Amino acid sequence: MKDYPLTIPVCQLDEDSYFVGITTADLDPVVKNGHYLIPRLCIEAGKPEYKNGFIPQWNDGQWEYIEDHRGEAVYLKKTGEKRIIEVLGKLPDDVTTLAPLPFTKWSEDAGAWVDVDNADELRLQDKKEKAGTITRSQLLTAIELQFDKNKKELLDIAERELVGDHLIKVRNVISEAQSFTLMNDDMWDFLTQTLNISNEQIFVLWDEAKKNY
């Protein structure tokens, strides 16, 4: 009489026939002809090959490999909103795994996020908003140390170069304001257009003023 092993390895599946792992089936103690008691949701089949990013599924007597992106972060092409994939299968056409940068939009032609039309303007506005606030004293000290122009010289330049409301607002900031932000368009224009200080120089000046003065 042929001897049979007491157990054999079998593949365990979930309710949707996806591979779960390897378990064992016991030899039927009643039927002595090599019949094994296969547990529910198990099959006699070779262990599927491991493929990174895929999960094996038993289908029509063979293993098929289904894309598995569960837990991956994707981004909606329309809005850039972040989502986490929770289901098996190919990624939807309306998402990408590429994270968007601020002030970009998705381009199917480029297969990437590209700048919106006014991206540079928006980035500058965002940088100005994040720069925070400094006092008038910090601002005047930084300008004098870095550009060799004291309060009186700044007022003289403003009186000579500016007119109307623009002059009044700049003069008031230089003379009386307690604090100052880069969102003040009149002072921004005075610094960049009248004093010819570049955007990057202003942000460097700003950081120096906040840290040191």
Side-chain angles (χ1 to χ4, degrees):
M1 184 176 179
K2 183 177 179 180
D3 290 330
Y4 295 96
L6 295 178
T7 61
I8 59 170
V10 292
C11 295
Q12 186 175 4
L13 310 177
D14 67 10
E15 296 286 351
D16 297 310
S17 298
Y18 290 108
F19 177 71
V20 174
I22 298 294
T23 186
T24 58
D26 295 327
L27 181 66
D28 190 333
V30 178
V31 180
K32 305 295 185 179
N33 62 355
H35 179 264
Y36 286 85
L37 303 175
I38 307 298
R40 179 178 176 272
L41 296 178
C42 291
I43 57 170
E44 289 187 73
K47 183 179 179 181
E49 176 186 357
Y50 171 77
K51 293 185 179 182
N52 188 37
F54 292 83
I55 185 171
Q57 184 183 39
W58 188 252
N59 188 19
D60 290 335
Q62 63 182 355
W63 292 112
E64 293 184 354
Y65 292 87
I66 309 301
E67 291 184 31
D68 186 0
H69 299 280
R70 290 173 298 178
E72 292 183 15
V74 296
Y75 304 86
L76 295 178
K77 294 176 180 179
K78 186 175 182 179
T79 64
E81 180 184 353
K82 182 179 178 180
R83 296 283 178 83
I84 301 298
I85 295 296
E86 298 179 349
V87 297
L88 292 163
K90 293 182 178 181
L91 292 177
D93 291 336
D94 63 347
V95 303
T96 174
T97 57
L98 301 175
L101 293 173
F103 316 118
T104 59
K105 61 183 178 181
W106 179 258
S107 168
E108 286 292 347
D109 291 337
W113 298 98
V114 299
D115 283 350
V116 298
D117 292 339
N118 59 338
D120 289 341
E121 177 186 341
L122 293 172
R123 289 193 182 101
L124 177 59
Q125 190 77 356
D126 183 62
K127 193 171 182 179
K128 288 161 69 174
E129 288 179 2
K130 291 177 178 176
T133 302
I134 60 175
T135 66
R136 178 168 59 93
S137 174
Q138 286 175 309
L139 174 64
L140 295 177
T141 301
I143 291 176
E144 183 169 3
L145 290 175
Q146 295 192 37
F147 297 100
D148 197 28
K149 288 181 173 56
N150 60 31
K151 175 181 175 181
K152 181 179 182 306
E153 289 173 310
L154 293 175
L155 287 171
D156 288 344
I157 293 171
E159 293 285 355
R160 184 173 65 250
E161 301 292 337
L162 307 180
V163 296
D165 290 348
H166 187 31
L167 168 61
I168 295 170
K169 291 177 181 178
V170 170
R171 188 171 57 200
N172 287 346
V173 170
I174 296 172
S175 302
E176 302 174 8
Q178 296 301 308
S179 60
F180 172 64
T181 78
L182 291 177
M183 297 302 293
N184 184 315
D185 291 336
D186 289 287
M187 276 302 294
W188 178 266
D189 290 345
F190 178 67
L191 295 173
T192 57
Q193 298 176 19
T194 306
L195 299 182
N196 293 316
I197 303 175
S198 71
N199 293 354
E200 288 307 313
Q201 285 178 308
I202 290 176
F203 289 114
V204 171
L205 176 146
W206 199 263
D207 288 339
E208 288 292 322
K210 291 174 74 173
K211 294 175 183 177
N212 301 321
Y213 315 133

